[in-house]
Every structure is written in structure tokens, then in C-alpha cells.
Amino acid sequence: MQLLFEEGGEIRAATVLGQQGETWQAEMPGGKRTKIKARDVLLQFEQPGAAQLLNDATGLAAEVDLDFLWECAPEEEFGFAELASEYFGAGAGVVQQAALMIALQGAPVYFRRKGRGRFTRAPEEQMRAGLAAIERKKQQAMVQAGYEESLKAMQLPEAFRGKELQLLFRPDKNSLEYKALDAACTALAMSPTRLMVAVGGIANARALHEARFLSECFPRGTGFPDLAVPAPPAGLPVADTPAFSIDDVTTTEIDDAFSVQPLADGTVRIGIHIAAPGLAITRGDALDAVARQRLSTVYFPGDKITMLPDAVVDRYTLQEGRLCPALSLYVVIDRATQQVLSAETRAEQVQMAANLRHNLLDDDVTEAALAAGTGTFPFRDELAILWPFACALYDGRQQARIASGLKPETQSRADYSFYLDTQEDGTQRVRIEQRKRGSPLDKIVAELMILANSTWGRMLADAGVPGIYRAQKAWGINRTRMQTYPAPHEGLGVAQYAWSTSPLRRYVDLVNQWQILAVAEHGITAKLVAPFKPKDADLLAAVADFEGTYAAYAEHQSTMEKYWCLRWIQQENRTRMSATVLKEGMVRFDEIPLLTRVPELAQAGRGTQVMLEIMGSDEIGLDLSVRVLEVCAGGDAAALDNAALDELEQEMAEGDPLAAEDIETPAETPESRSGTADVATDAFPEDVPEAASKAAPTASGGADDTAPPAA
């Protein structure tokens, strides 16, 4: 005997082997044996066999006219056998009955199941709506299939235009476009980013990296609301001595400047002048809201996204030929001992005499020229006074570093500047220029900025006014941190360090400037009137938000520098390049600031020089394929000395983008290189499951408040 039964919502047939009470023992057409409860049995029959019945009934069920069947069905509940007699006629056999059962079971739009083999027809309105939905899904499936075929043919469907970035970074996974993209990626074994670049949805790898960053950090775009530019307060005193700045040739956010005034008693008054947007922007106003949201200017080769609107930057930048509002720190020094005798802070206007550009002066402003008082460069006499003072400040910091258990800072590593030149055909060529750390102009800017940040940090602490400090321990993981109370920065060798010298491009500095202005004006009562009081929740939140946002900006800068390093290799048709082994197979190229891991050099000694063959590069995954051609001797003859190698390894181990800001050479400005840490070839997670190598991201800082790197 044969049985037609229902199991798990499926109609099945089997041959009976035996029966025990209410349970049948049966064998399925494939040979599998099963137990069937009597309540699940729909039909009992002798012929045809189970397999034949299912085959014939399934074919017949496909021919059933469901619209006509719905018309034939009674209004009230019915059984499948009853409706089979109506549809096929009174003589409907077991095959017809089984076919009708299969048809009813497979047509939930037309019929509602009421029990085992029992149904009722769906209301006409619901049935028509269900049929419309099915037709709509069929049409959507056809459209999706068309999208998928276009993508697999490396063509961008027209419907995808304008949605490319959304599909990659903020997709609606229920949309036809996303489903088609996902299916095409699976079929082609490609990541969505690679496929979108391949089909022309995104122009190139550079556009992809930039779009990814903007989607994550600037989802509403990079434009500013239409805000008025506030004027500085009237009645600010005018400084006695004109000032000059020292920056990269491309710098537009000029935050800092200097003045030198010999005094009658043989001492010298040195002025450190910082742009003062804090005189006009106030906590809680519209510009503060903009700066609080962005927290920092974003720098990367060839472009930047400013923290403040261009009109505000232009109004408060220390532009030559203008009288500019500034927060000034004046220190009086003894030229014989280079000791600081007194310090004073005031808000004033400074006459900017010149914006010096270190790119144009480094060859002329040398140690020998400053010592001899020779040369024809501008502000020669002033620089000759600043140079020994900067050296004395540097020496004092080195003694403090040694007392903390650290080695003296090394200045043997090279820094790099990225410049993009637009060609006549509209393409861009990248120039990566190398320069050594520790030039006189570098050291003057760095040491005076460290002096200002540490002096103002102490002033806030003495007045009991909270600020945002950078603290660093000599040893341990996560040793560099930001906090609202003073603590030593052992890497720089100062007792406290509060970022205060870049208020046009960093929100932390703007906050500290407000606090410093309050102390300068109100003295010991400043904590009663300062914008931020002790334990202010908004101040703590700003610190937390800044660290995360700043790290994201630094990571983007690092990403774009990796990209341009790979572009430089292709542009220059470099097939061979020399490199220096750091540790565990990580090597650093000698001509560009790029790190990559070479597994076959895992056992090579630190400082070993190697010649690598460039096999290929991946601008999307930011990966470089190399092969070792020659291994040379290491040791003291290496391009990098041991101190510089120690420094590189330390930066790689820490992976702290904020720490790099403190140890950045000052001559590198945000608009050109904006950082000094080497960038490692790496891959995005969707392209490679685990990154092959990782170096500390470069900081998106400027050239005003940092020192050469700690060893």
C-alpha cells in the first residue's frame, strides 16, 4: 500500500512496510525509511507507486489553472478531495487528488490552509493584492538580474549613477542595486570597492579613499554654513616690535610668529605671537559649534579640510603686511646664560612684517651663518639671537629626558614633504621631497613652540584654571594621553604641555586659548570667569571626542600618503629600490616614507641594507609586492643609525597618532607633509582579512608646536 502524507509543509509519498497502532512504517522513494503518524496521512492507495505518483501529480499540478480553481472553490471551508471532484470531475483519481493537493499547498495567495488537507479560498481583494505583489517581485528580479549581468560585464548600470558611494559605505541591503552588487561580487570574487572602481562607478583608487573618509567623517559634506566673520575686540594695544613667521611655502593657516627686541640692560625680549581667534569666537556661538564638530583641520597631500571657514582663517591668520590680533608670550632672557628671567602674557595686535618660508631659506640659514652673523637672508640679526636660545632650550629638555630614563632625541631621520603638481593634461604628479631634521629654522620654531605650550600650561595650573594637556610617560603602552590636569611630558622633557599654539586648526588649542586669555586678563580670579570651570563635563567630552576624531583624520592622512608613495613608484618607473630592515621583516624605503613587510627578511638584522625589486602595487588595497635582490651589510653603515631605528620601532609599536604630533619636526607644515611618521603598505579589511603590516599613523598636525622625535 502507498501513502500520500504531509511532512514539514511538504507533500510526500511512501510505500508502507508495516503498521503499529497509529503509526505507519514506510519507505520513501529514495530508500529512506520513516515513521508516519496516521493524522498526517492524506491518501491511501495501491497504484501507482509512490515515486510515480509524485512525478505525475507534480506535473499535473503545474497545469492547474489557479484562477479557475479559485472560482470553482466554495465560499466555506473545503477538503482537497472535494475540490478535486469539482475541478477534474466526479471520477478524479488519486493522481488528480494528489495534484490538486500540491496545487493548493503551493498557492497561498489563492487559498488559506485551515488544517490537514483543508482549505478556504482567500478573499478576492487579498488575492488580487497578492498576485500584484508576486508580479512586482518578478519584475524586480528581472531588473536585478539585468543589473547583475551589467556589473559582471564591467559596465555600470545607469540606475547606479549617483548611488555609488551610498552602495559602498551606507547601503540599503534591501535595495535591488545592493543585491545585484553583492551577487556580482560573489560571482566575480571581487570586493565591492574593487568592482565599483572597475566598472567606473568611482573614478580611481584616490577617489575611493577620499570618498570613504568623507562618508565616515563628513557624511553631510565639507561645506560651512553661511556665518559672519566676527571682528576682534576694539582697543587692543599694538606690540612695540614687528613680527615674522617661519612656515612652509604652502602654509595658509599661519598660527605663530616671533619678535626680538634687545633691551637697554643687555637682555633680550623675545615675543612668541599666536593667532587669536579666541578673542572673537566665544564658547557656545555658531563658530564654536562648527569647530567643536570638526575638532581639527584635516590635512592630506594636495588638499585639506579646514576646521574653520576660510573667511575666518583669512581674518585671523598672521598674514604679512597686516596688523593681526594675537595672544603673545614675552620672555626676557639673559643672552650670556640664555636663561629666562621673566615671562608675560598679553592679548594685543601685532604688525606682521614678513612670512618667511623655510623651503626658500634653509640653504642660507645655516649654523655657521648664524654663528658668524653673515648672510643676506631677512631677519638675520633676530634669527642669530633666537638660534642660541633655541639650542639652550633643546639642551635643557635633553637633560630632563635623560633624567626620565630616555635617550636624547635623534635628528638623523629624514622628513618628507608631499607636493602635487598639475600637468597641462590635467593629471597630477607627486613630488616627495626629503629633508633632514634639526635645521636652525626647524629648531627655532620647535623650541619656541614647546616653550609657549609648557609655559602656558604652567600658567593655567598655577591659576587653578583647567586646560587640555598632553602627558607622556617614559615607558609603557599607551603612554601618551590627553587630560584636563597637568602632568609631565617626559618625551619632550617638560613639566607640563598644553597644546595652545594652533587655534586656527585645532579645537584643543582654541579651548586652551580661551582659558589662557581669561588668566591673562583676570589673574587669580580667572577660574571664576573662564569659559570652562574645573570638572566641566563639556571639557571632558571635548577631550574624548578630539582623540577619536583626530585619530580618524590622521589615519586618512596616512592612507593618502601611502597612496601617493605607490603612485610615486609607478610615476618614476621604479623597478628597484633600496631599503633598510627594521625588525621582523619590516623594511623602510630609503627614498620615500614607506614601510612594507618582506617575510623573507624576517631573520635579517636591524639596519641591514637591501635592494628590492618592485613586482607590483595595489592602489586600492595599498599593498606593495617586492622581491629581495640583494642583501648588503648593516650596522653603522646603514642609512639609518641605531637611534633612528629605535625611534621608528617605537612609533610602530605604539601606533599612537596623537603621539606623533608631539615629536613632529616643525619645518614640516600641514599643507605639504603634515607629519613625519612613515606610512606602511596596508590593505582595507574587505580586501584582505588581516592587515599585513601596520605603522603609527601620521599626525595631521602643523609645524608649530613640536619637537624632533624621541628615541
Side-chain angles (χ1 to χ4, degrees):
M1 185 171 64
Q2 316 294 323
L3 298 177
L4 186 73
F5 64 98
E6 184 178 351
E7 181 181 67
E10 299 288 334
I11 305 301
R12 305 183 185 279
T15 301
V16 174
L17 299 178
Q19 183 178 10
Q20 292 181 351
E22 296 296 319
T23 302
W24 301 88
Q25 294 180 351
E27 184 177 72
M28 306 284 283
K32 177 184 176 182
R33 296 194 174 187
T34 186
K35 292 181 179 181
I36 306 170
K37 295 184 180 298
R39 67 171 183 270
D40 296 330
V41 176
L42 300 171
L43 289 175
Q44 300 179 27
F45 56 95
E46 294 295 338
Q47 293 296 332
Q52 184 65 42
L53 174 74
L54 284 178
N55 184 63
D56 294 345
T58 301
L60 184 58
E63 300 175 4
V64 171
D65 185 339
L66 293 174
D67 290 311
F68 179 66
L69 185 64
W70 185 86
E71 294 287 349
C72 294
E75 294 284 349
E76 65 276 3
E77 183 181 322
F78 59 86
F80 74 96
E82 302 167 23
L83 189 57
S85 298
E86 291 289 333
Y87 186 82
F88 291 108
V94 65
V95 173
Q96 287 84 1
Q97 294 181 39
L100 199 68
M101 179 63 197
I102 293 173
L104 291 169
Q105 189 86 339
V109 172
Y110 289 89
F111 302 98
R112 304 285 189 263
R113 181 180 171 186
K114 305 300 289 185
R116 235 23 126 191
R118 308 276 312 164
F119 298 87
T120 184
R121 73 178 191 174
E124 183 174 4
E125 183 179 345
Q126 295 182 16
M127 183 263 290
R128 300 302 176 196
L131 290 176
I134 290 174
E135 182 61 27
R136 187 165 56 252
K137 288 183 179 179
K138 288 181 180 178
Q139 295 299 322
Q140 290 175 345
M142 293 175 60
V143 172
Q144 179 180 324
Y147 293 162
E148 183 180 344
E149 290 305 314
S150 295
L151 291 170
K152 289 193 287 189
M154 295 300 159
Q155 297 176 354
L156 182 70
E158 192 64 31
F160 280 50
R161 299 194 184 279
K163 302 178 182 178
E164 299 92 341
L165 301 182
Q166 178 184 346
L167 286 169
L168 288 181
F169 308 127
R170 297 179 182 275
D172 174 5
K173 295 188 177 181
N174 292 319
S175 67
L176 298 181
E177 293 85 355
Y178 177 81
K179 292 178 180 178
L181 178 62
D182 184 59
C185 288
T186 300
L188 297 172
M190 296 177 68
S191 70
T193 52
R194 292 181 184 276
L195 180 56
M196 194 61 77
V197 172
V199 301
I202 293 181
N204 48 45
R206 176 187 179 183
L208 171 66
H209 299 315
E210 292 178 348
R212 182 194 305 273
F213 170 72
L214 293 177
S215 174
E216 293 174 353
C217 295
F218 294 88
R220 298 181 181 178
T222 59
F224 290 97
D226 187 12
L227 299 174
V229 180
L236 288 175
V238 178
D240 299 334
T241 309
F244 60 94
S245 65
I246 303 172
D247 293 282
D248 183 88
V249 69
T250 56
T251 300
T252 57
E253 295 168 292
I254 302 175
D255 287 302
D256 53 84
F258 314 101
S259 63
V260 178
Q261 182 181 15
L263 302 179
D265 58 359
T267 60
V268 175
R269 187 179 70 168
I270 295 174
I272 302 171
H273 310 285
I274 306 301
L279 288 169
I281 301 173
T282 60
R283 180 185 176 185
D285 68 11
L287 281 172
D288 174 42
V290 169
R292 175 66 177 81
Q293 182 181 31
R294 298 199 175 195
L295 294 170
S296 171
T297 292
V298 188
Y299 296 102
F300 47 96
D303 205 355
K304 64 181 177 181
I305 303 170
T306 58
M307 181 181 76
L308 293 169
D310 290 343
V312 176
V313 173
D314 181 68
R315 178 63 184 85
Y316 287 92
T317 188
L318 302 181
Q319 180 66 42
E320 67 181 10
R322 296 196 329 205
L323 197 61
C324 302
L327 176 64
S328 299
L329 171 65
Y330 288 101
V331 293
V332 176
I333 66 169
D334 183 334
R335 290 200 65 183
T337 63
Q338 301 299 331
Q339 295 297 308
V340 175
L341 303 177
S342 64
E344 177 191 5
T345 297
R346 70 172 79 158
E348 61 184 3
Q349 296 185 84
V350 176
Q351 182 63 50
M352 288 299 302
N355 296 138
L356 305 184
R357 306 298 182 173
H358 68 77
N359 312 63
L360 308 177
L361 294 175
D362 275 343
D363 292 339
D364 297 326
V365 185
T366 63
E367 294 186 35
L370 291 173
T374 59
T376 58
F377 48 86
F379 293 93
R380 181 190 64 189
D381 295 339
E382 288 83 352
L383 292 173
I385 293 173
L386 293 177
W387 170 241
F389 180 52
C391 291
L393 292 173
Y394 175 82
D395 292 340
R397 292 194 307 103
Q398 302 318 299
Q399 294 176 10
R401 280 176 54 86
I402 294 172
S404 298
L406 295 172
K407 298 177 182 178
E409 294 168 358
T410 177
Q411 298 178 353
S412 58
R413 274 186 63 199
D415 286 329
Y416 298 84
S417 297
F418 287 70
Y419 300 95
L420 303 185
D421 301 324
T422 302
Q423 307 300 299
E424 292 183 358
D425 60 0
T427 60
Q428 288 186 312
R429 289 181 62 86
V430 59
R431 287 183 291 121
I432 305 178
E433 298 184 357
Q434 181 182 121
R435 57 194 308 274
K436 287 291 185 181
R437 292 178 176 175
S439 69
L441 292 180
D442 287 356
K443 182 174 286 190
I444 288 171
V445 176
E447 296 304 328
L448 293 183
M449 292 304 102
I450 294 173
L451 174 64
N453 287 326
S454 59
T455 300
W456 280 332
R458 183 176 67 250
M459 186 176 78
L460 292 177
D462 291 344
V465 174
I468 301 177
Y469 293 86
R470 299 280 296 137
Q472 189 182 89
K473 296 183 295 183
W475 309 104
I477 61 173
N478 300 322
R479 61 190 185 92
T480 306
R481 62 192 182 278
M482 300 189 72
Q483 57 194 40
T484 58
Y485 55 89
H489 193 303
E490 295 178 352
L492 292 179
V494 293
Q496 63 283 310
Y497 190 73
W499 272 344
S500 311
T501 51
S502 298
L504 289 175
R505 62 181 181 85
R506 220 164 34 199
Y507 188 70
V508 167
D509 300 61
L510 180 60
V511 168
N512 281 340
Q513 186 172 91
W514 286 331
Q515 304 295 86
I516 295 166
L517 286 168
V519 176
E521 181 178 358
H522 299 283
I524 60 174
T525 63
K527 59 184 176 182
L528 301 177
V529 297
F532 293 91
K533 307 301 187 293
K535 299 183 180 180
D536 190 308
D538 289 344
L539 186 63
L540 297 173
V543 171
D545 293 343
F546 180 84
E547 288 188 292
T549 301
Y550 204 60
Y553 292 174
E555 182 64 24
H556 175 61
Q557 179 187 334
S558 178
T559 292
M560 296 313 300
E561 289 178 354
K562 296 173 195 176
Y563 168 81
W564 285 112
C565 282
L566 297 181
R567 289 293 301 162
W568 183 88
I569 291 174
Q570 294 183 24
Q571 162 190 300
E572 302 298 321
N573 296 317
R574 302 302 296 271
T575 58
R576 296 187 176 192
M577 294 185 68
S578 60
T580 303
V581 176
L582 300 181
K583 61 185 296 187
E584 299 174 356
M586 183 66 75
V587 302
R588 176 188 186 271
F589 288 94
D590 295 335
E591 297 179 70
I592 56 176
L594 184 66
L595 304 176
T596 192
R597 191 173 297 279
V598 185
E600 56 193 296
L601 293 174
Q603 303 303 316
R606 186 174 75 162
T608 300
Q609 291 292 107
V610 295
M611 180 62 67
L612 302 177
E613 180 181 7
I614 309 300
M615 307 293 291
S617 62
D618 177 7
E619 294 178 2
I620 295 178
L622 299 178
D623 195 17
L624 187 66
S625 176
V626 300
R627 183 169 67 91
V628 178
L629 293 178
E630 183 180 358
V631 178
C632 308
D636 295 336
L640 296 177
D641 63 22
N642 285 332
L645 290 168
D646 286 341
E647 171 197 329
L648 267 173
E649 292 176 9
Q650 176 179 299
E651 290 177 6
M652 291 165 56
E654 288 177 358
D656 181 0
L658 292 174
E661 177 81 355
D662 294 331
I663 60 177
E664 182 189 358
T665 178
E668 291 304 336
T669 58
E671 287 80 355
S672 59
R673 169 61 172 89
S674 62
T676 61
D678 298 82
V679 291
T681 55
D682 203 350
F684 284 111
E686 68 269 27
D687 296 323
V688 175
E690 191 169 359
S693 60
K694 184 67 177 173
T698 42
S700 54
D704 55 1
D705 59 351
T706 56

